[in-house]
Amino acid sequence: VPEGPEVETVRRTLHPSVVNRRIVKATATGRRSVRRYGEGPVALAAFESDVTGLNITGTQRRGKYLWMTTDRGALVVHLRMSGQVLVCAPTDPGVVHTHIMLDLDDGAQVRFVDPRTFGEMWRTDDPIAELAHVGPDAVEGAADEAWFVDRLRTRRSPVKSVLLDQGFVSGIGNIYSDEICHRSGIRPTRLANTITKPKARLIAANTIDILNEAIALGGSSLRDGQYVDAHGVAGEASANHRVYDQLKAGCGTCGGPIKRQVIGGRSSYFCVACQK
DNA sequence: CAAATATCCTGATAGC
DNA sequence: TGCTATCAGGATATTT
């Protein structure tokens, strides 16, 4: 569920607690969260020794990837489906599915919690090279309108699938791809290479607006309560959803029926009346 | 070569 | 009420 706006909200709420801090101790208990360090239990110790002593200098994000810049490369986090990065006090009660704990030099603790264990954390010397396969963040990519329009219109896939392709632009997930298509008045199934230039420009503009609006509201927390910011606070952007998961409520613009359809293996929602 | 599909995982929910 | 089956989905590997 965490998409660009949610990861950006986590970054913003995490930043003040970690910048200029030193990781004095790392404790890893979830193997899958540190799977880049190997398969067995050795991965836990390998992660711990790799990140202990890092001096954090800042935070950055591209798409759904978040990383802390340090004096020795970057500590990258991907939340995938259900990951949470939480700033805690050491005395805060532990919760199930806490896989990593980072003790900072001011006594605070950063915890990585992830029920579905799809998320992960790892250190890399060069985060830019590591993420070379990831396209520009969607807000920046769409701001380069001519590039965005040309690239979009070369693809023979449903426009929704193109928006979800992190190699094209990054940070758009299942919620915001549906919302971008809706505001643009286009069916998510529409093949990208049949979209007119003016319509593609509209999609670029709406991509910027929808993602920025969601960031301003702290991201979309859903009923499952999985996504919260680094202080455990839920976001309010889901109040803006006009089609995503609105089968019962109807279209947020016209009130008409919402249709659900699987596109590229993802359940998708669109308004039959507003989107052609 | 690009696009579709299977896979990882747990918890919430739908359905009986 | 209580059980089981289904669904959710980001990125990667595999298949088409």
Side-chain angles (χ1 to χ4, degrees):
Chain A
V1 177
E3 307 181 20
E6 289 72 37
V7 178
E8 175 62 15
T9 303
V10 170
R11 190 196 66 76
R12 291 183 182 186
T13 52
L14 175 70
H15 182 93
S17 299
V18 297
V19 69
N20 297 327
R21 297 267 69 87
R22 175 184 172 87
I23 298 173
V24 295
K25 183 185 177 189
T27 310
T29 51
R31 288 181 207 177
R32 274 183 52 80
S33 302
V34 295
R35 54 189 176 274
R36 300 213 181 204
Y37 291 81
E39 288 293 320
V42 289
L44 301 173
F47 172 85
E48 291 172 353
S49 64
D50 194 30
V51 307
T52 296
L54 291 176
N55 292 294
I56 301 166
T57 54
T59 58
Q60 292 187 41
R61 179 187 66 90
R62 190 201 299 173
K64 303 167 191 173
Y65 289 86
L66 164 67
W67 65 93
M68 295 170 243
T69 54
T70 79
D71 58 341
R72 203 164 55 82
L75 185 54
V76 187
V77 185
H78 198 303
L79 305 174
R80 283 304 223 286
M81 297 304 307
S82 60
Q84 300 175 339
V85 175
L86 298 170
V87 177
C88 301
T91 52
D92 288 346
V95 294
V96 290
H97 308 304
T98 300
H99 305 307
I100 296 169
M101 296 198 298
L102 306 175
D103 292 340
L104 306 183
D105 59 358
D106 65 348
Q109 208 170 53
V110 174
R111 300 182 185 177
F112 183 68
V113 179
D114 185 14
R116 286 180 223 178
T117 72
F118 285 8
E120 55 178 329
M121 188 179 291
W122 76 98
R123 193 196 66 81
T124 178
D125 288 329
D126 186 350
I128 301 303
E130 185 98 3
L131 302 178
H133 64 291
V134 179
D137 189 76
V139 173
E140 291 165 25
D144 190 348
E145 187 185 70
W147 174 87
F148 182 96
V149 165
D150 287 349
R151 284 293 308 274
L152 181 78
R153 296 176 71 249
T154 63
R155 302 285 296 266
R156 277 164 259 179
S157 305
V159 58
K160 161 155 177 153
S161 301
V162 179
L163 292 172
L164 284 174
D165 179 359
Q166 307 299 301
F168 172 41
V169 291
S170 60
I172 300 173
N174 203 39
I175 296 172
Y176 298 116
S177 59
D178 279 359
E179 295 297 325
I180 291 165
C181 289
H182 175 261
R183 191 176 294 186
S184 304
I186 197 165
R187 294 279 172 108
T189 49
R190 176 74 171 273
L191 297 185
N193 63 333
T194 69
I195 296 173
T196 64
K197 277 196 173 184
K199 184 67 98 176
R201 292 192 194 102
L202 184 63
I203 293 170
N206 286 331
T207 294
I208 296 169
D209 290 349
I210 285 189
L211 295 178
N212 281 336
E213 290 165 17
I215 291 170
L217 289 171
S220 297
S221 294
L222 304 181
R223 282 189 299 270
D224 62 13
Q226 288 291 3
Y227 160 70
V228 289
D229 72 15
H231 300 296
V233 177
E236 304 297 333
S238 47
N240 277 2
H241 297 174
R242 295 193 174 183
V243 288
Y244 178 79
D245 198 24
Q246 301 298 308
L247 281 178
K248 291 177 181 172
C251 172
T253 299
C254 75
I258 297 293
K259 182 173 166 57
R260 179 183 175 278
Q261 182 178 341
V262 175
I263 303 169
R266 320 241 165 257
S267 69
S268 310
Y269 303 85
F270 62 89
C271 172
V272 178
C274 294
Q275 297 172 256
K276 298 297 181 187

